[in-house]
Amino acid sequence: MLKIVVCVSGGGTNLQAIMDAIADGKITNTEILAVISNNAGAKALERARDRGICDICISPKSYPDRESFNQAFTDKVKELAPDIVVLAGFLVRIPPQMVQAFSNRIINIHPSLIPSFCGVGYYGLKVHEKVLERGVKVTGATVHFVNEGMDEGPIIAQKPVMIEPDDTPEILQRRVMEQAEWILLPQAIDDIANNRLEIRDNHVFRR
């Protein structure tokens, strides 16, 4: 049984997709140990409570400096002892000590086709704003392992989404969620739970 911790900052739509996929049998051999948010008011925590899942808030605002927060956050995840950590719209940079402690065991969903529109400053609605400003014809989402860089870890899967003429950032964000994020992230978790993936030379391959 794959034990996961899901980290979320906002509404938790990707968390909901994961929970629904587990309930529907689309993700197998998987249990959510806890949901962690840096935002006490995040709807994601409410979603977790509604499913009887442990919900935890760890906010940088509660600590005197970033290093104290980083250590507390890392210690809490270590205490929970998950097999993998799933970043599902988590807007906090993962501390280096946590990346080291969970090497190749942290995955993230990013709302673009990496390496486009990723890295520092590209998160949430900002990604879709930049996509439309640039005038690209195709965007999408990427699931990847997390390393010390920003959106630089080995790519697990990607799914394209077409840009439509009347798109706004909000409309595009929703379509990318529906057509890519809510599909890719559950699939990646199920693949890991059932030992279908391996990393060789910083690339992910299906067994």
Side-chain angles (χ1 to χ4, degrees):
M1 181 70 71
L2 185 78
K3 298 184 184 300
I4 69 174
V5 165
V6 184
C7 299
V8 193
S9 291
T13 54
N14 274 302
L15 168 66
Q16 190 68 52
I18 294 167
M19 294 190 301
D20 290 347
I22 291 173
D24 295 342
K26 294 177 180 177
I27 298 176
T28 58
N29 304 321
T30 300
E31 174 190 358
I32 302 176
L33 297 175
V35 172
I36 296 177
S37 181
N38 60 304
N39 175 12
K43 183 172 176 58
L45 295 178
E46 181 183 330
R47 293 179 191 267
R49 285 193 293 272
D50 287 346
R51 292 291 181 99
I53 297 169
C54 173
D55 62 286
I56 301 166
C57 178
I58 303 179
S59 172
K61 297 176 182 177
S62 302
Y63 295 87
D65 52 49
R66 195 66 176 203
E67 187 52 43
S68 299
F69 164 76
N70 285 348
Q71 195 58 56
F73 178 36
T74 302
D75 289 346
K76 174 53 70 174
V77 176
K78 284 182 175 179
E79 177 187 321
L80 292 165
D83 297 308
I84 66 167
V85 178
V86 179
L87 309 182
F90 192 55
L91 304 183
V92 174
R93 184 155 190 171
I94 301 302
Q97 59 264 48
M98 186 169 156
V99 174
Q100 293 167 9
F102 292 89
S103 178
N104 293 331
R105 292 196 291 141
I106 305 173
I107 66 172
N108 179 53
I109 182 78
H110 183 77
S112 77
L113 296 175
I114 291 174
S116 298
F117 305 102
C118 66
V120 177
Y122 285 93
Y123 60 89
L125 200 61
K126 293 180 184 295
V127 174
H128 306 291
E129 290 171 350
K130 294 297 184 182
V131 164
L132 294 178
E133 284 176 15
R134 184 65 183 87
V136 301
K137 306 305 180 187
V138 182
T139 185
T142 303
V143 181
H144 65 95
F145 284 104
V146 174
N147 62 11
E148 289 80 1
M150 182 68 77
D151 301 326
E152 295 177 2
I155 291 173
I156 298 170
Q158 294 182 302
K159 195 172 191 302
V161 174
M162 299 302 297
I163 305 295
E164 302 293 342
D166 298 327
D167 275 343
T168 65
E170 292 80 8
I171 291 172
L172 181 58
Q173 181 182 50
R174 183 72 185 188
R175 189 183 318 110
V176 169
M177 288 177 178
E178 291 175 347
Q179 295 185 8
E181 294 182 42
W182 299 346
I183 297 169
L184 285 181
L185 191 54
Q187 283 180 345
I189 294 169
D190 188 58
D191 283 341
I192 293 169
N194 291 284
N195 200 32
R196 298 189 194 106
L197 303 179
E198 65 175 304
I199 301 177
R200 299 196 310 269
D201 300 324
N202 208 40
H203 288 79
V204 178
F205 297 91
R206 292 184 67 86
R207 296 182 189 276

